Amino acid sequence: TAICDRILPQDDRLDAVRIPITPQIDKRLFLGLTDGYRFEDMPPDGEAYRLGLEAIGEMARAAYGRAFTELRAREQEELLRSLHDGKPIAAHDVWDRMPVHRFWMLLVQDCVEAYYAHPWSWDEIGFGGPAYPRGYIRLDNG
């Protein structure tokens, strides 16, 4: 959740209307849902997340001597920036087993999909919701 909060901050929302990103990712992994493909240099998604979260924790301890969840927002963002840039500061044994840029894309894609699949985010992008079952109507003359 701390990682998702840095990737897609929801500081502008009240706690009661924050979009739950982490439970959606957890649900997808639990059900074994995929996009129907996997890069040959990547482990299955569940294993990729286990390795990636372990590596991020190791990076936090190496850089700051604390767990990722105990870091200030700026420190968390610096660690995640190193993943984005493909230059992780530690846990190289994990990143040798899995490309950091592919894990970063998996993580960001899952966060974005979970966020924009939620009806609360639809207003932000001007999406009126699915047309079924009521359909759309034109609200202008003619």
Side-chain angles (χ1 to χ4, degrees):
T1 299
I3 294 169
C4 294
D5 286 347
R6 295 281 54 88
I7 292 174
L8 272 172
Q10 298 184 59
D11 300 335
D12 59 331
R13 293 180 177 273
L14 298 173
D15 287 341
V17 290
R18 285 186 181 228
I19 295 171
I21 296 172
T22 308
Q24 283 302 110
I25 296 172
D26 190 45
K27 179 181 177 182
R28 182 184 78 74
L29 295 173
F30 178 76
L31 296 175
L33 302 175
T34 68
D35 288 333
Y37 69 92
R38 178 170 53 93
F39 292 100
E40 67 180 342
D41 55 355
M42 283 292 286
D45 289 353
E47 184 180 343
Y49 268 98
R50 278 189 289 283
L51 288 170
L53 294 177
E54 173 188 320
I56 291 169
E58 190 175 319
M59 290 168 56
R61 285 185 295 281
Y64 302 104
R66 300 187 311 275
F68 185 85
T69 56
E70 297 171 355
L71 301 179
R72 294 188 304 268
R74 173 78 178 173
E75 294 167 336
Q76 291 176 342
E77 289 172 3
E78 287 173 2
L79 288 180
L80 294 177
R81 168 67 68 173
S82 75
L83 296 182
H84 170 272
D85 294 343
K87 299 175 184 174
I89 60 172
H92 299 290
D93 58 321
V94 171
W95 302 123
D96 288 341
R97 296 167 51 192
M98 169 176 71
V100 65
H101 68 280
R102 293 219 195 274
F103 174 73
W104 177 254
M105 290 307 300
L106 173 68
L107 180 60
V108 171
Q109 178 180 333
D110 278 347
C111 288
V112 169
E113 284 182 6
Y115 184 86
Y116 284 107
H118 198 284
W120 292 343
S121 70
W122 296 350
D123 284 339
E124 295 173 7
I125 59 173
F127 178 58
Y132 180 82
R134 59 179 160 58
Y136 290 114
I137 60 170
R138 285 184 73 159
L139 298 176
D140 60 354
N141 294 336

